[in-house]
Amino acid sequence: MLKEALKLHTTNFINILKDFLSGVKVENSGEKRLLDAISYSLINSNAKYIRSFLVIETAKMLGFNTTEDVKKLAIATEMIHCYSLIHDDLPAMDNSNFRRGVDACHIKFGESTAIMAGNAIQVMAFDVLSSISKPEIALKLIKEMANVCGLKGILGGQVIDLSPKLKEEEFDEMNYKKTGVLIEFCLNSVAILFETKEHVSNLKMYGKNLGIAYQMQDDILDEGESEYSYINHFKTRDLLKKSLKERLKTCEEAIVGFNFNFTLLDLLKFLEKRTY
Ligand code: IPE
Ligand code: IPE
Ligand code: MG
Ligand code: MG
Ligand code: MG
């Protein structure tokens, strides 16, 4: 059931993204080339769009509708994720030729355009956040997102991932920063948007543990391709699976008290077994 809900979300969200991009006016061939690279990377029916799903479903769990502001928050999370993937695939980073079943952005458009498309999507996300209806809330979200992207977030995680030697104790920190911090933001930002401070710690607990569990599953699916894979961190695959289960259990405990928690609970079962 969750699988169907996620598929439906992918279709709906692609339309939301297309709508957004159709509002970006290009005035010369350079702008067109960048926008083509952005659209190519952002819109792909093989993407799961799990981060925007989390934003929308968290709002529902807290009893709120999918307002324009919720949609903007969701768009911003997918933009930041997409930028991080474009740069992650570059030759200087993971050097991956494929992304989401097609050529990576730098293979399709060349390295320089891919670097700039990544930069452009990142700043686009901040522009989207700045248009959230209440300026003081928009500012809080921009600040929070800046932390997600920076030294204490995605870039802090990626720099550890690309470092020549990884200390055992840096493992969870690396994965939390490169993947978990943005996923945590998908939950926590909804509490900021609706000014419901009392839920922040539970939402963060779900988001943080889900983020790490998500990267554990990603490493299982990548079959230990990278040296710093969770598969190499745990002595056996069973121990990794056990730790993954524990993380998901913590997520469950974090949201068990919410009235409309059905989808986010269901998501935990789905993610434990995800194959893509
Ligand atoms: C892949 O993320 C990279 C990670 C941070 C684990 P996803 O598995 O969410 O990728 P898409 O967006 O569905 O392609
Ligand atoms: C991606 O981690 C993390 C970010 C892009 C921030 P991976 O390098 O494991 O993701 P995949 O396997 O390329 O999707
Ligand atoms: Mg990587
Ligand atoms: Mg990679
Ligand atoms: Mg991976």
Side-chain angles (χ1 to χ4, degrees), residues 25-174:
K25 297 286 168 261
V26 291
E27 289 169 354
N28 58 49
S29 61
E31 288 178 15
K32 182 175 181 316
R33 185 166 174 77
L34 262 189
L35 193 63
D36 283 348
I38 289 168
S39 306
Y40 174 82
S41 302
L42 199 56
I43 295 168
N44 182 320
S45 56
N46 294 322
K48 296 179 285 298
Y49 297 106
I50 199 96
R51 291 154 189 81
S52 47
F53 185 74
L54 282 168
V55 170
I56 292 168
E57 291 305 323
T58 301
K60 287 186 193 164
M61 180 171 80
L62 299 181
F64 300 109
N65 293 328
T66 310
T67 60
E68 284 307 305
D69 281 349
V70 170
K71 283 187 202 160
K72 285 176 180 173
L73 200 47
I75 290 172
T77 62
E78 291 299 343
M79 285 179 164
I80 294 297
H81 171 57
C82 181
Y83 130 72
S84 78
L85 295 179
I86 294 175
H87 282 194
D88 182 72
D89 290 337
L90 288 169
M93 297 192 72
D94 287 355
N95 192 20
S96 302
N97 290 350
F98 297 103
R99 171 62 60 186
R100 295 169 167 169
V102 294
D103 282 346
C105 188
H106 66 277
I107 298 293
K108 178 89 178 165
F109 293 91
E111 227 176 300
S112 57
T113 302
I115 292 169
M116 290 184 282
N119 290 342
I121 299 182
Q122 188 183 26
V123 293
M124 237 178 212
F126 284 97
D127 191 36
V128 171
L129 290 178
S130 77
S131 71
I132 277 177
S133 55
K134 284 190 189 166
E136 68 280 13
I137 290 180
L139 192 59
K140 273 189 192 159
L141 290 167
I142 288 169
K143 189 159 174 47
E144 196 74 19
M145 188 62 111
N147 288 331
V148 166
C149 293
L151 264 64
K152 310 283 177 199
I154 295 173
L155 292 172
Q158 291 285 64
V159 79
I160 301 176
D161 198 358
L162 295 163
S163 64
K165 190 93 192 86
L166 178 69
K167 298 192 194 93
E168 280 298 295
E169 67 272 19
E170 283 180 327
F171 226 94
D172 282 340
E173 183 194 344
M174 170 185 81

Side-chain angles (χ1 to χ4, degrees), residues 221-233:
L221 294 173
D222 288 348
E223 298 188 330
E225 211 172 75
S226 142
E227 193 194 337
Y228 297 160
S229 163
Y230 263 119
I231 294 187
N232 301 329
H233 181 59

